[in-house]
Amino acid sequence: MKFRTHFVCQSCGAQASKELGRCHRCSAWNTFVEERVPPTSQQDETRLGLRSSAGAQLYADVEMAQMDRLSLGIDELDRVLGGGAVPGSLILLGGEPGIGKSTLLLQAAAQVAASAGPVLYCSGEESEHQIKVRGERLGIGSAPLYLLAETCLERILDEITRRQPALIIVDSVQTVFSTKLQSVPGSIGQVREAATQLLFGAKSHNIPTFLVGHVTKDGALAGPKALEHIVDTVLYFEGERYQSHRVVRAVKNRFGAVSEVGVFEMTDGGLQPVANPSQLFLAERSAGVPGSAVLCCVEGSRPILIEVQALVSTGAYGNARRTASGIDQHRLALLLAVLEKRVGLNVMGDDVFVNIAGGMTVSEPAADLGIVAAVASSVRNRAIHANTAVFGEVGLAGEVRGISQAALRLREAAQFGFGRCVVPEGNREAADPGGVDIVTVRTLNEALEALIV
Ligand code: TYD
Ligand code: MG
């Protein structure tokens, strides 16, 4: 029997009928590998619902299904998913090696097994014995948790059909391979096939399924484009491996809000949910030191106070370095240019380092004002008023723009005991939580005047 083959880019999943030197989609060089075209069997088509379609349905006739979500027994994880896992959904959990993916899912597996019924934990990375050693640290009792050290996709699917578990975990999707394809495990064809088949499995048995995905050095999941399209929800683990806290963020969610975060602390007994992240992120704050500002961000539905630190030092001539961790490098460059032009603060030749304390990542424009304030405070070597929190977007003209959810941010600052908040004029109408002195500003110059001692 002759198989049909095609060429697939291993970095983005683009397909071509012949081998290309450079990918037409992602421009990567020499990434095409020959793969067998997977046969679409009749069975697959029925599972995909291709044969059973009864035609289009009138919007008004579609019934609102009540989704009974499965609680994973870990508050912060339920929160990121939008209140638990939806039956039949496929969830991808990505993160660097050693960040805690297996730990978190083993904890969730034990909780679900104890509360909702049998759980199938398939691992292609560790033996049953290794998983048990970890489980002992986590204090997993006698709940019906089934371990399967298996990498063959077909056997995993068989086991799912036989056990009909309440939850399925596949750790990791890159180790799973299908015997129907000839490419090596971890190649984009295999990863996509595994995810697609597990999606059919999840949907046809109506079981929530977690896939663990490894992140490559440049921060992307191997075969990310191919996987992110297939799954319902994508969660990423963030944080520094050598720090104790971890953030799980939803970057795609068909059943809930995106950018919702769950905060955890890695302890000897596994990952513990952190109910009050502001406290954690400000715990080691260096108040009264130049270059430190407290921002109030909103992640998903939750306000979080975070410390941003900046250090500006004289750099070698013509070789200024800009290092940003936790914020976008390009955003920092833009904010420095605004500082230079609109405030007249000369940082052109200096080295600038900006860091979000605690390994958190902030991408909201509301963080702008805090970042600028921290940099200016470091340049002038004068601290920011103690007990002051700040938020606001900075525009190219040096204006401070209003941002969303100001009331929520003010409330968090008040609750945490901040006595003063510097906020955009555009947010003047925001509900006053009481107990906070609210200073509204229109321009960057006004803001720096109000902030820096
Ligand atoms: P792991 O869950 O194996 O990471 P991943 O699956 O993402 O590769 O991460 C384990 C790390 O966490 C490892 O370095 C040991 C540490 N750890 C703890 O600190 N406490 C614990 O209770 C456990 C189980 C692991
Ligand atoms: Mg692991």
Side-chain angles (χ1 to χ4, degrees), residues 95-107 121 125-126 133-135 137-138 171 212 214 237 241 246 266-271:
E96 288 171 26
I99 196 132
K101 302 181 293 295
S102 306
T103 305
L104 181 64
L105 291 181
L106 191 59
Q107 285 177 274
Y121 188 106
E125 313 220 317
E126 290 150 318
V133 170
R134 171 172 318 140
R137 285 179 75 176
L138 304 174
D171 187 1
V212 170
H214 284 296
F237 242 112
R241 195 174 160 177
R246 305 277 189 274
M266 183 62 100
T267 66
D268 283 344
L271 286 156

Side-chain angles (χ1 to χ4, degrees), residues 317-340:
Y317 179 73
N319 200 11
R321 265 186 300 175
R322 266 91 232 258
T323 311
S325 93
I327 61 165
D328 180 38
Q329 191 91 31
H330 300 294
R331 191 81 199 163
L332 176 62
L334 184 147
L335 294 174
L336 291 178
V338 174
L339 260 182
E340 180 103 31

Side-chain angles (χ1 to χ4, degrees), residues 20 32-33 44 74 78 93 170 172 183 215 232 236 344 370 386 427:
L20 304 176
F32 278 84
V33 168
D44 280 354
I74 301 173
D78 282 347
L93 176 64
V170 178
S172 66
S183 39
V215 169
D232 296 306
Y236 273 103
N427 292 121

